[in-house]
Amino acid sequence: MKNIGISKILFLVLFAGLNLHCLAQNKHDIKQKIAAEMQSSMVDRLLKPWYPRSVDTLYGGFLSSFSYDFKPVGSQDKMIVTQARHVWSNSKAAELFPKVGYYLESAHHGFEFLRDVFWDKEYSGFYTYTDRQGNLKKGSFAPKEAYGNSFAIYALAAYYESSGDTSALNLAKQGFWWLEKHSHDPVYKGYYQHMERDGTPIIRPADINSTSELGYKDQNSSIHLLEAFTQLYEVWPDVLVRARLNELLLLVRDTITNKNGNLILFFKPDWTPVSFRDSSEAVIKKNHGLDHISYGHNVETAYLMLEASHVLGLKNDTTTLRSGKKMVDDALDKGWDNSVGGFYDEGYYFKDKPGVTVTEDTKNWWAQAEGLNTLLLMAGKFPSDKHQYFEKFKTQWQYVQTYLIDQKHGDWYQGGIDKQPQYKMALKGQIWKGTYHVLRAFINCIAQLTLDKTPPSTPRRVKQTLKRGFTTLRWAASSDNKRVLGYEIYSGSKRIGFTPLNYFNIDKSTTIKRGKLMVRAVDLAGNQSAAGRIMEHKTKRNHGVIE
């Protein structure tokens, strides 16, 4: 009897182990299946309908407006945000699919339009809006805006990362310095959103309509400046960029996000929130554009904060993680459709009503894309959480496939057709809708679902050349199981540069620790190689080479 008991226990232990193994294998299989579906959808239903079709070969840049079946329509006015996002998308696609030559060509084409048309040759900074030919138009925008300039920097940094074109990086630097001079608030921190052409911040007029955003600081420009500076810091590890990136992270996390885990949308210059909560319901509805809960922005910002924290190298940043989780949890608790999935667009805390009221139960496309990315991110960090992030992620992907992706004509509808069936015939492209949100979500989700933990090989034969005061490093290219993205340059433990090429010119102003220069390869997943160090040989100063 004793032996039978032991046998039963051993069987149960073995059975439990096999069961856990099966569950783990099943989850792995599900991840691989979803990754394959996303990869296919990204290529066939997003990238191929847009590129190279949207490249404006007549006037430069990209066409903005397309019908539901992807025919160019309308005036094709051009906004800095749309143009920059297309440059970013093509740059990222070129990294993923280097054999598809038109992605890098299209990114370069878009870069030239940013440089030659949108960059102000007199006052610097990027214009906001032009007609198709590139003539300035006012529209409903300020002449220059921090939001638009942030996306230009974002795109230029990404294009440099994919191409190694230092002229793009130099323009990104100029854009950053222009914002530093004109848009950055040295007193209250953060950035002014609206500026005149010469960079003067626009003061909000006393008699302006209450619904206008003019003269306010806001969360949307702040979170995308955070995103832009994150991308910029990855390719240009400048001390001031780091300081502004850290400043924005703290500002978004600790000031712009409230105690409920919701972003406050607009602020006076001293960061006093713009709120209509003490007004009548009619006034609140009239001004809802300035004051509501935006569930899409909440889930997006959770990701952007964690990305910035990671790029800054902040170890054990539990404060940012806790804040991001709270934002996602609140969106799931208050703004999630429990029947079919999807995040609602808007909610509000009315003072005379309990809890939160969902005021807009529609589901715009970009919020659902951001939801995919952030839900999967949280599933990786909190696999046993009561919110069951991975299950919500699967539901969200099913929702997207059912109600958002146009399987016939490509791309996503502007909103979920479970709530807005009219979007089946709405524009697929317009100045506020391109490929950026969806492509970024696909790239991040596929990377999380198919984890790559294999680092590239160590850069070999690293050589240092000194000529006319400039230091140049060269090395033999590394290899990777997937693809090498580029190379990080270090002086001791300090990262001083990045290049996708196999050489790097070190600026005269950079302090270099003697004998401490090294090169590390990095792949698309962020894995770093071991350090490639300068070969120790005799100094050949007559040739300007230290080997």
Side-chain angles (χ1 to χ4, degrees):
M1 294 293 292
K2 185 176 181 181
N3 289 336
I4 294 174
I6 293 173
S7 298
K8 285 184 176 179
I9 292 171
L10 289 173
F11 172 77
L12 290 172
V13 170
L14 179 62
F15 179 79
L18 288 171
N19 193 41
L20 288 173
H21 174 76
C22 290
L23 288 172
Q25 184 62 42
N26 184 50
K27 189 170 185 179
H28 173 79
D29 292 345
I30 291 171
K31 286 183 176 182
Q32 297 306 303
K33 177 178 180 292
I34 294 176
E37 292 170 349
M38 286 186 162
Q39 179 82 6
S40 176
S41 188
M42 176 176 68
V43 173
D44 296 330
R45 296 290 176 266
L46 182 69
L47 291 173
K48 285 183 178 179
W50 272 99
Y51 308 117
R53 177 186 276 121
S54 62
V55 175
D56 188 345
T57 57
L58 190 59
Y59 295 108
F62 298 88
L63 301 176
S64 303
S65 185
F66 289 90
S67 64
Y68 74 95
D69 55 354
F70 266 100
K71 294 181 175 60
V73 294
S75 63
Q76 300 297 343
D77 288 344
K78 292 169 179 173
M79 181 174 64
I80 183 63
V81 175
T82 330
Q83 297 299 309
R85 285 173 170 178
H86 282 306
V87 173
W88 180 88
S89 290
N90 279 278
S91 299
K92 292 299 179 182
E95 292 175 356
L96 292 171
F97 310 107
K99 293 181 180 179
V100 183
Y102 60 74
Y103 287 135
L104 196 57
E105 292 170 7
S106 299
H108 179 74
H109 174 86
F111 157 62
E112 289 182 323
F113 196 70
L114 296 184
R115 179 194 64 196
D116 300 338
V117 177
F118 267 97
W119 180 257
D120 187 339
K121 305 302 186 296
E122 182 177 357
Y123 293 106
S124 298
F126 290 95
Y127 299 118
T128 305
Y129 195 54
T130 74
D131 62 15
R132 181 181 177 183
Q133 292 76 16
N135 302 306
L136 291 182
K137 289 187 72 172
K138 181 174 177 53
S140 60
F141 308 101
K144 290 176 184 169
E145 297 184 350
Y147 183 78
N149 275 263
S150 76
F151 275 103
I153 292 169
Y154 183 58
L156 292 166
Y159 174 60
Y160 167 70
E161 182 183 74
S162 66
S163 68
D165 188 339
T166 54
S167 65
L169 179 59
N170 289 335
L171 187 55
K173 292 177 182 180
Q174 291 181 62
F176 172 79
W177 287 325
W178 187 83
L179 284 172
E180 179 67 21
K181 180 178 179 180
H182 298 287
S183 177
H184 182 254
D185 182 348
V187 178
Y188 296 109
K189 307 304 178 185
Y191 291 78
Y192 298 111
Q193 159 69 338
H194 307 102
M195 288 157 283
E196 303 289 0
R197 184 185 165 191
D198 66 0
T200 303
I202 297 175
I203 306 300
R204 186 175 177 84
D207 59 349
I208 196 170
N209 190 306
S210 67
T211 61
S212 173
E213 302 173 7
L214 190 66
Y216 285 145
K217 289 178 179 175
D218 68 293
Q219 62 82 20
N220 205 22
S221 59
S222 299
I223 66 172
H224 290 297
L225 283 162
L226 178 76
E227 177 181 38
F229 291 176
T230 298
Q231 178 78 70
L232 183 61
Y233 188 65
E234 286 189 289
V235 298
W236 180 41
D238 178 76
V239 173
L240 184 58
V241 175
R242 179 182 178 84
R244 293 292 176 257
L245 177 57
N246 189 69
E247 177 185 305
L248 279 165
L249 174 59
L250 297 180
L251 183 67
V252 170
R253 188 190 71 193
D254 302 336
T255 299
I256 296 177
T257 304
N258 67 20
K259 62 181 178 61
N260 295 317
N262 303 140
L263 292 166
I264 301 168
L265 303 188
F266 290 91
F267 299 82
K268 295 178 181 178
D270 64 355
W271 295 105
T272 299
V274 174
S275 174
F276 294 88
R277 193 161 183 259
D278 291 330
S279 304
S280 67
E281 189 165 335
V283 170
I284 290 171
K285 289 181 178 179
K286 176 185 175 183
N287 294 279
H288 80 101
L290 297 177
D291 181 25
H292 64 264
I293 300 168
S294 174
Y295 294 111
H297 283 114
N298 288 349
V299 296
E300 179 182 23
T301 301
Y303 157 69
L304 293 178
M305 290 193 310
L306 290 169
E307 180 190 42
S309 176
H310 171 72
V311 169
L312 283 167
L314 304 181
K315 305 296 184 183
N316 301 314
D317 186 6
T318 55
T319 303
T320 300
L321 181 58
R322 185 167 56 249
S323 178
K325 184 180 187 302
K326 188 173 186 178
M327 298 173 88
V328 177
D329 290 351
D330 187 78
L332 287 172
D333 293 339
K334 312 289 176 50
W336 171 261
D337 185 341
N338 286 302
S339 58
V340 296
F343 290 97
Y344 296 128
D345 284 342
E346 296 181 16
Y348 200 81
Y349 280 92
F350 292 99
K351 64 178 182 179
D352 56 350
K353 295 181 180 179
V356 177
T357 301
V358 173
T359 52
E360 295 288 344
D361 69 351
T362 49
K363 305 168 189 175
N364 65 70
W365 95 97
W366 64 264
Q368 311 319 312
E370 298 299 343
L372 281 172
N373 178 35
T374 306
L375 286 170
L376 190 55
L377 179 66
M378 289 296 161
K381 294 185 178 297
F382 304 98
S384 302
D385 191 83
K386 66 178 182 179
H387 286 90
Q388 296 184 299
Y389 299 116
F390 189 70
E391 293 303 313
K392 294 291 197 309
F393 165 76
K394 290 193 298 181
T395 299
Q396 181 75 344
W397 176 230
Q398 185 60 51
Y399 175 83
V400 165
Q401 292 180 96
T402 305
Y403 298 108
L404 273 170
I405 299 176
D406 185 339
Q407 304 293 353
K408 180 178 181 181
H409 300 109
D411 200 6
W412 293 20
Y413 303 119
Q414 291 191 42
I417 57 174
D418 59 321
K419 295 292 183 179
Q420 295 171 296
Q422 68 272 21
Y423 275 151
K424 284 186 176 182
M425 305 298 290
L427 293 177
K428 282 290 170 52
Q430 31 99 343
I431 60 171
W432 289 110
K433 185 177 184 294
T435 54
Y436 149 79
H437 285 284
V438 175
L439 181 59
R440 189 181 66 181
F442 275 147
I443 291 172
N444 289 344
C445 287
I446 293 168
Q448 292 179 75
L449 291 166
T450 58
L451 287 177
D452 172 17
K453 297 182 180 181
T454 304
S457 65
T458 305
R460 297 173 297 110
R461 299 197 299 275
V462 182
K463 298 181 180 181
Q464 178 180 351
T465 303
L466 301 176
K467 190 173 182 180
R468 297 192 184 94
F470 285 93
T471 300
T472 299
L473 294 179
R474 294 181 183 275
W475 54 88
S478 296
S479 59
D480 187 63
N481 64 320
K482 291 189 176 179
R483 188 184 175 214
V484 174
L485 176 66
Y487 302 87
E488 306 278 10
I489 316 302
Y490 286 84
S491 177
S493 61
K494 182 180 180 182
R495 188 171 69 96
I496 61 172
F498 168 87
T499 178
L501 308 172
N502 64 341
Y503 64 88
F504 185 77
N505 297 315
I506 301 176
D507 188 85
K508 285 182 178 180
S509 62
T510 303
T511 301
I512 302 173
K513 293 183 179 180
R514 184 175 178 83
K516 295 293 185 180
L517 285 175
M518 64 186 75
V519 182
R520 294 179 183 270
V522 61
D523 64 16
L524 289 175
N527 299 307
Q528 274 197 346
S529 73
R533 300 180 185 276
I534 297 171
M535 298 173 64
E536 295 293 339
H537 291 292
K538 292 182 179 180
T539 302
K540 302 178 182 179
R541 294 195 183 278
N542 56 326
H543 295 290
V545 178
I546 298 177
E547 294 188 334

